[in-house]
């Protein structure tokens, strides 16, 4: 796989984007960002993505990662975006608006594709689970490098509520949890995950993975745990990989 593709990663508060060399996973230039429109309703969000695409001044294909279940280009969930997106056919709308070859996928799935190809999951067979800790908790499940899309393990019930309402990086910041207190919560979550999936490797991503040295040694997990390696760019790199894959 080779060439340059535009990756866009829509988050609850910002939309990150960059041009990716899919042979190496490297960004060509800066990882840029604009605020996510609020409320993130279909027209505002498609407009913001189309403006980014127009700004690249080429006919480069585009991958768009979204914090949602995305099947056949349609959005099925919107836990951290506006609920009016549910049922919206995002991919055809963006193709029409931009005139580009374009695919949409879940953000954690995108980050996982990037980590499996270039980062912490590289060369790892068997069951690998990537978890992203940010506004929510995202998950990407791989079997021998093949993605099982749209696992939503941030919504696993833990203590009677969605796990992401108890152990996401946002909750850590909002509740002022120290690393020890947060690591206890993550350990309990990983334990649940382990009982259900028995992964050989857990890759922990999201912005907080850059602080792995603070919380990693405090975690107790029954499988190998590695921090993600691509940091904040993982979703952008993975979105570009996803569209490069359909272009092959
Ligand atoms: C969403 C997932 C997403 C994750 C990380 C969750 O709230 O349901 O689709 O991958 O947040 O953004």
């Amino acid at each position: 796989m080779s060439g340059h593709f535009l990756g866009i990663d829509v988050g609850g508060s910002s939309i990150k984007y960059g041009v990716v060399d899919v042979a190496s996973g490297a960004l060509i230039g800066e990882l840029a960002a604009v605020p996510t429109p609020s409320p993130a309703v279909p027209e505002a969000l498609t407009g913001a993505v189309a403006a980014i695409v127009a700004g690249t001044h080429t006919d480069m294909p585009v991958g768009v990662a979204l914090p949602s279940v995305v099947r056949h280009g349609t959005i099925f969930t919107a836990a951290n975006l506006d609920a009016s997106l549910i049922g919206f056919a995002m991919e055809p709308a963006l193709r029409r608006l931009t005139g580009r070859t374009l695919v949409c996928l879940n953000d954690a799935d995108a980050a996982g594709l990037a980590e499996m190809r270039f980062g912490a999951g590289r060369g790892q067979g068997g069951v690998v689970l990537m978890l992203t800790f940010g506004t929510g908790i995202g998950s990407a499940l791989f079997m021998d490098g093949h993605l099982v899309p749209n696992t939503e393990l941030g919504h696993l019930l833990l203590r009677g509520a969605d796990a992401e309402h108890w152990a996401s990086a946002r909750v850590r910041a909002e509740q002022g949890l120290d690393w020890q207190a947060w690591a206890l919560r993550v350990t309990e979550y990983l334990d649940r995950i382990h009982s259900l999936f028995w992964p050989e490797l857990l890759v922990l991503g999201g912005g907080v993975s850059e602080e792995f040295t603070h919380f990693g040694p405090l975690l107790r997990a029954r499988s190998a745990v590695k921090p993600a390696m691509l940091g904040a760019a993982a979703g952008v790199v993975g979105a570009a990989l996803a569209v490069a894959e359909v272009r092959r």
Side-chain angles (χ1 to χ4, degrees), residues 1-22:
M1 198 186 290
S2 64
H4 293 174
F5 296 82
L6 178 62
I8 300 179
D9 184 8
V10 177
S13 55
S14 72
I15 305 178
K16 298 197 273 288
Y17 60 98
V19 174
V20 179
D21 172 5
V22 295

Side-chain angles (χ1 to χ4, degrees), residues 13 29-31 58-59 62 67 92 127 138 162 164 176 190 203-204 211:
S13 55
E30 294 289 296
L31 180 67
T58 67
D59 60 356
V62 185
V127 175
D162 277 18
E164 71 175 23
L190 297 185
V203 178
L204 305 189
E211 312 217 50

Side-chain angles (χ1 to χ4, degrees), residues 45-123:
L45 200 54
T46 51
V49 171
I52 291 170
V53 174
T56 60
H57 299 304
T58 67
D59 60 356
M60 206 178 276
V62 185
V64 182
L66 294 148
S68 302
V69 168
V70 183
R71 277 171 62 198
H72 309 299
T74 293
I75 292 186
F76 281 80
T77 64
N80 296 305
L81 293 175
D82 196 82
S84 62
L85 283 165
I86 296 172
F88 181 62
M90 177 64 95
E91 193 176 87
L94 285 174
R95 284 184 182 163
R96 267 195 309 277
L97 266 178
T98 63
R100 302 278 182 98
T101 300
L102 183 147
V103 298
C104 293
L105 75 163
N106 172 264
D107 58 355
D109 285 350
L113 288 173
E115 289 293 333
M116 292 303 288
R117 180 75 57 88
F118 303 113
R122 192 174 184 161

